Amino acid sequence: MSLPILITGGSQRLGLAVAESLLAQDQPVIITYRRHKPSVTRLEAAGAIVMEADFNTQAGISRAIDKIKQITPALRGIIHNASDWVPENSDQSAGELMQDMMMVHTSAPYQLNLALKDALFASDAADIIHMTDYVQETGSEHHIAYAASKAALHNLTLSFARVFSPHVKVNSIAPSLVMFNDDDSQEYRQRALEKNLLGLVPGPQEAVKAVNYLLESEYVTGQTLHLNGGRNLK
Ligand SMILES: NC(=O)C1=CN([C@@H]2O[C@H](COP(=O)(O)OP(=O)(O)OC[C@H]3O[C@@H](n4cnc5c(N)ncnc54)[C@H](OP(=O)(O)O)[C@@H]3O)[C@@H](O)[C@H]2O)C=CC1
Ligand SMILES: Nc1nc2c(c(=O)[nH]1)N=C([C@H](O)[C@@H](O)CO)CN2
């Protein structure tokens, strides 16, 4: 029996697609969710281990670590996917927004990687994948705190690739508009399609293919897989 892969924020969209893909390959998964949904029930019925986790607070992060250690002593990998995409015009103060973004996108991955080091090292091959964002290198005009936290998450890739080598490969996947949100307007969608060279928004399977490539690789670590349709050249 293979060791499980932990996917944070696995109850919808890219995380859900990755979880479903791994289960279809008979790869055991543990997924965290913040709000229970029918997809969580479906994943559990398909054999996933599901656990509630909110990474916005230190208590929530500590509880999640304790729960994961109770579930398994060894891990094939961790995919840090949980994320909130919150703009500056939200109803939070600057301090609250930066705190929230850094907790879920940086502090939680940092603490889980350190706390689960032994579990990863117990596996013959192990991967950490940080789901970052195209804006890790460009910044963002309307999601400043979010972009900064994703840049910090990418920096964790560079540090942990060094510290956990050669036992664990550590990489970033940096999407840019891989999947629309249901409430995205037609105008937003049209404008977004014009932002990349290929003029498309591929959907969650693009992330699934990137994750599977990294898991199968023997020689890629400390890198970023950019999923952006050539947006950087537009
Ligand atoms: N979709 C895209 O085109 C892009 C995605 N990305 C990145 O790829 C990853 C997947 O994107 P996508 O599928 O759209 O992500 P979502 O916006 O759908 O969020 C994924 C999950 O994160 C969970 N989550 C949010 N905040 C917290 C928290 N504080 N604690 C625990 N869980 C939390 C949510 O749980 P719940 O629903 O239960 O609240 C949600 O199910 C993300 O890291 C994202 O930043 C980057 C660029 C583009
Ligand atoms: N947690 C999330 N992060 C991001 C999302 C999302 O839906 N959830 N979406 C984007 C946008 O698609 C952006 O890439 C468009 O330029 C960014 N991050």
Side-chain angles (χ1 to χ4, degrees), residues 95-113:
E96 288 167 344
L97 180 56
M98 183 59 85
Q99 172 80 12
D100 283 355
M101 295 293 97
M102 285 297 180
M103 284 296 273
V104 63
H105 296 140
T106 310
S107 189
Y110 169 72
Q111 292 188 61
L112 266 68
N113 289 347

Side-chain angles (χ1 to χ4, degrees), residues 4-12 15-16 19-20 23 28-55 63-64 67-68 70-72:
I5 290 178
L6 170 68
I7 305 169
T8 67
S11 70
Q12 64 184 38
L16 175 59
E20 289 170 336
L23 285 170
V29 301
I30 302 165
I31 69 107
T32 80
Y33 64 88
R34 188 173 50 169
R35 295 168 293 178
H36 198 280
K37 313 178 179 74
S39 58
V40 174
T41 304
R42 290 199 303 275
L43 284 173
E44 196 166 25
I49 296 174
V50 302
M51 56 172 278
E52 187 274 334
D54 188 336
F55 298 123
R63 264 197 306 274
K67 180 70 178 168
I68 295 160
Q70 286 168 9
I71 292 171
T72 182

Side-chain angles (χ1 to χ4, degrees), residues 14 17-18 20-21 178-179 202-212 227:
L14 274 61
V18 170
E20 289 170 336
S21 168
V178 163
M179 185 176 186
Q205 289 308 312
E206 194 68 14
V208 169
K209 287 181 270 187
V211 167
N212 282 313
L227 313 180

Side-chain angles (χ1 to χ4, degrees), residues 176-202:
S176 171
L177 193 49
V178 163
M179 185 176 186
F180 285 121
N181 277 284
D182 293 343
D183 58 355
D184 288 339
S185 67
Q186 282 309 315
E187 183 203 4
Y188 173 87
R189 292 169 189 248
Q190 186 50 47
R191 275 206 326 272
L193 290 171
E194 293 161 5
K195 282 186 177 178
N196 69 70
L197 295 179
L198 301 179
L200 57 89
V201 174

